[in-house]
Amino acid sequence: MLEGDVEQQNGRKLYIESYGCQMNFADSEIVASILLDKGFTTTSDYKEADVVFINTCSIRENAEQRVRNRLKEFESAKAKNPGMIVGVLGCMAERLKSKFLEEEKLVDVVVGPDAYRDLPNLIEKVDDGTRAVNVLLSREETYADINPVRLNTNGITAFISIMRGCDNMCSFCVVPFTRGRERSRDPHSIVREARELFKAGYREVTLLGQNVDSYKWTPQEETDSTTSVQDPITFAQLLEMVAQVDPLLRIRFSTSHPKDITDEVLYSIAKYENICNYIHLPVQSGNSRVLELMNRTYDRAWYIDRIKAIRRIIPHCGISTDVITGFCSETEEEHAETLSMMDYVKYDYAYMFAYSERPGTLAAKRYADDIPEEIKKRRLTEVVAKQRAHSLLRLQEQVGLVHTVLIEGFSKRSDKDYCGRNDRNAMVVFPVDERYKVGDYVRVLGESCTSATLIGKIVD
């Protein structure tokens, strides 16, 4: 958490803690911006804060338990500082607002992802002695005009939110209910934010959306008497617009959806050296029947076709994925198809989970969560073991090659080593060279690897 400076401080300190996806971390930066404009400063110690927010995730059950445990710690701090305001932001806010506010009385304010502009007003209500809530979802809110305050930053890499919400109704997912319908942000505001970040010394931006490939912004041109709708700007076009900010600004993005990722997007990646050759393409399952139950709107053959297109257009592209094991009614044969999909793609990296039923989702309403926990966990163990082998294989392929690496900071293990990622999103560790500093691009020869890290040295 960074200390905030504003011209007219109100003497109150803000602490924000974020859980879950990158979108939540980006949202926390929007919240900080809104409150710093009202005179708050930020602090990295919740015990000295006047307002404590926890930005939540509802994707998995254990995330909710972690939030509850953390709120109890905040409650203890509040007992010593009765004026402290404790609030829950984000995806858990709408679903659990009554529990947090009335039943457990753990928090003073509950705010959904589309209501952050209302925070100053809600804090005033709490100051006046009432609990406050705003979890209304919006069809328009994109926060395009708010310049996020960069929190917990290395000053080199930053997130840019390009859209909000999701129109995909995957049966296992709560996001459409907690973040609302999909809407895309004005591309010119995105380019402006990227340009400002580059001027401030940032050298890499990650464009964020629940499904970036469905980004579509339709400009309207007003004449004296009419408003004409022009051709929409697609994600492929947006990628190129951001890439043109400066060749030294690296572009990443997340997350792609197999049903929407087009060859046009792939050709845009191939066209610009500063768009990283890395795609996160969640498969979830390798079996077509299970994919249909998940309402993923593609089948095994479609997904393989998209993998083939990536390999054809961007031959050395890194590919990562998400996998869910033990979804409702999944058989051993269907689980085996997920393993065979992994063997086919040989992902660089994967986020892997046993299925966790989320209240309110289509799957919770329609299907029995009928796979025993021990089977879910055993299947997950098999997936994890396979991915570990594939991650090692993909890194071994990069040993002996020279990589362009953006120095992001010092290695977690030693201040005698730098770390940074290459074009394929592989983490690279290499000895510090006094000629180079954090934020510089260097050429690194990969000499060896573990299953998670490429190890090398700077070469001229």
Side-chain angles (χ1 to χ4, degrees):
M1 189 70 64
L2 291 181
E3 298 299 330
D5 260 339
V6 291
E7 289 180 12
Q8 299 198 332
Q9 297 179 355
N10 62 18
R12 303 179 83 178
K13 292 184 177 180
L14 166 70
Y15 174 88
I16 308 180
E17 199 165 278
S18 304
Y19 290 83
C21 68
Q22 293 170 328
M23 290 291 292
N24 276 4
F25 286 83
D27 278 1
S28 291
E29 295 179 340
I30 288 169
V31 169
S33 178
I34 290 168
L35 292 184
L36 262 66
D37 280 348
K38 295 298 180 181
F40 283 79
T41 58
T42 57
T43 176
S44 56
D45 182 0
Y46 73 86
K47 292 177 182 175
E48 67 173 34
D50 301 285
V51 175
V52 174
F53 286 140
I54 187 164
N55 197 343
T56 59
C57 172
S58 271
I59 296 297
R60 299 175 68 211
E61 190 174 355
N62 68 350
E64 292 190 6
Q65 196 52 51
R66 285 172 68 197
V67 166
R68 287 177 182 280
N69 293 340
R70 196 64 170 139
L71 284 171
K72 288 186 171 69
E73 291 180 47
F74 295 157
E75 198 175 25
S76 299
K78 185 173 178 175
K80 298 173 185 172
N81 177 12
M84 178 188 284
I85 293 174
V86 176
V88 171
L89 312 177
C91 292
M92 280 171 64
E94 198 281 331
R95 200 164 66 75
L96 296 178
K97 61 182 182 292
S98 59
K99 279 187 176 294
F100 286 145
L101 284 170
E102 286 113 39
E103 293 174 34
E104 300 174 14
K105 292 186 168 58
L106 283 174
V107 300
D108 305 297
V109 58
V110 176
V111 187
D114 289 349
Y116 296 142
R117 291 183 197 269
D118 197 28
L119 274 168
N121 172 53
L122 297 172
I123 289 171
E124 277 187 26
K125 286 185 179 178
V126 177
D127 288 339
D128 290 339
T130 62
R131 286 189 163 92
V133 58
N134 185 343
V135 292
L136 294 175
L137 294 175
S138 166
R139 285 179 178 265
E140 287 82 37
E141 181 63 83
T142 64
Y143 300 110
D145 60 317
I146 293 177
N147 191 21
V149 172
R150 304 297 163 178
L151 303 171
N152 302 314
T153 179
N154 57 9
I156 304 302
T157 63
F159 299 132
I160 298 179
S161 178
I162 67 167
M163 57 198 301
R164 300 186 71 81
C166 186
D167 286 349
N168 299 313
M169 298 298 290
C170 300
S171 63
F172 55 78
C173 187
V174 297
V175 167
F177 308 107
T178 60
R179 285 190 169 271
R181 297 300 298 270
E182 194 175 271
R183 60 270 187 206
S184 297
R185 181 178 160 189
D186 181 334
H188 305 292
S189 72
I190 296 167
V191 171
R192 184 168 59 249
E193 187 174 335
R195 189 175 290 119
E196 288 170 357
L197 284 166
F198 184 78
K199 285 179 183 174
Y202 286 83
R203 290 297 173 263
E204 180 178 291
V205 295
T206 300
L207 308 181
L208 292 181
Q210 303 299 145
N211 175 15
V212 291
D213 298 296
S214 62
Y215 175 92
K216 185 180 288 185
W217 186 80
T218 304
Q220 295 187 341
E221 189 176 72
E222 292 188 13
T223 62
D224 291 340
S225 56
T226 62
T227 299
S228 65
V229 177
Q230 298 173 290
D231 290 337
I233 291 176
T234 65
F235 181 57
Q237 292 166 313
L238 176 68
L239 268 179
E240 298 201 18
M241 291 168 68
V242 179
Q244 289 165 9
V245 166
D246 196 284
L248 291 178
L249 182 66
R250 259 189 178 175
I251 319 300
R252 298 186 189 275
F253 57 89
S254 185
T255 295
S256 286
H257 195 295
K259 77 176 173 63
D260 291 318
I261 190 166
T262 63
D263 286 4
E264 184 188 13
V265 167
L266 303 180
Y267 283 118
S268 291
I269 297 169
K271 181 177 175 181
Y272 290 87
E273 279 192 30
N274 59 330
I275 304 179
C276 290
N277 290 344
Y278 168 69
I279 295 172
H280 184 66
L281 197 68
V283 66
Q284 307 298 2
S285 171
N287 174 261
S288 293
R289 186 190 74 88
V290 174
L291 288 170
E292 187 173 4
L293 288 180
M294 290 178 168
N295 198 32
R296 290 291 286 171
T297 66
Y298 57 85
D299 59 13
R300 180 183 175 92
W302 177 278
Y303 188 90
I304 288 174
D305 173 77
R306 293 294 78 206
I307 294 294
K308 286 178 177 176
I310 293 169
R311 299 286 189 225
R312 183 180 74 252
I313 297 167
I314 319 166
H316 302 293
C317 190
I319 304 175
S320 59
T321 199
D322 296 344
V323 178
I324 296 172
T325 65
F327 189 70
C328 311
S329 77
E330 181 189 61
T331 67
E332 284 299 325
E333 292 76 18
E334 289 164 343
H335 166 64
E337 282 208 78
T338 296
L339 296 176
S340 72
M341 178 69 84
M342 295 176 73
D343 283 330
Y344 176 78
V345 181
K346 294 183 174 63
Y347 297 103
D348 293 64
Y349 186 81
Y351 297 91
M352 301 156 284
F353 310 101
Y355 174 62
S356 167
E357 183 178 86
R358 312 313 294 131
T361 59
L362 296 174
K365 294 172 184 174
R366 292 179 183 175
Y367 311 127
D369 183 8
D370 55 359
I371 307 298
E373 283 302 311
E374 62 270 20
I375 293 179
K376 287 182 185 178
K377 288 177 180 175
R378 189 258 303 158
R379 291 176 185 172
L380 179 60
T381 300
E382 292 174 9
V383 165
V384 169
K386 189 170 285 292
Q387 184 53 50
R388 190 172 289 128
H390 291 160
S391 292
L392 177 61
L393 177 71
R394 288 303 186 196
L395 285 171
Q396 285 171 336
E397 292 174 352
Q398 299 176 65
V399 171
L401 302 177
V402 175
H403 306 268
T404 300
V405 177
L406 175 61
I407 304 176
E408 296 179 22
F410 292 102
S411 162
K412 288 180 182 177
R413 294 189 176 181
S414 170
D415 60 6
K416 293 179 180 172
D417 289 325
Y418 280 140
C419 70
R421 288 172 296 162
N422 68 5
D423 190 54
R424 284 178 59 162
N425 208 40
M427 182 55 72
V428 187
V429 172
F430 46 97
V432 168
D433 184 324
E434 292 180 357
R435 294 175 298 170
Y436 302 102
K437 64 184 186 303
V438 173
D440 286 343
Y441 289 99
V442 289
R443 290 169 61 74
V444 178
L445 172 66
E447 296 182 302
S448 63
C449 68
T450 67
S451 62
T453 307
L454 196 58
I455 300 162
K457 67 179 180 185
I458 294 176
V459 292
D460 292 327

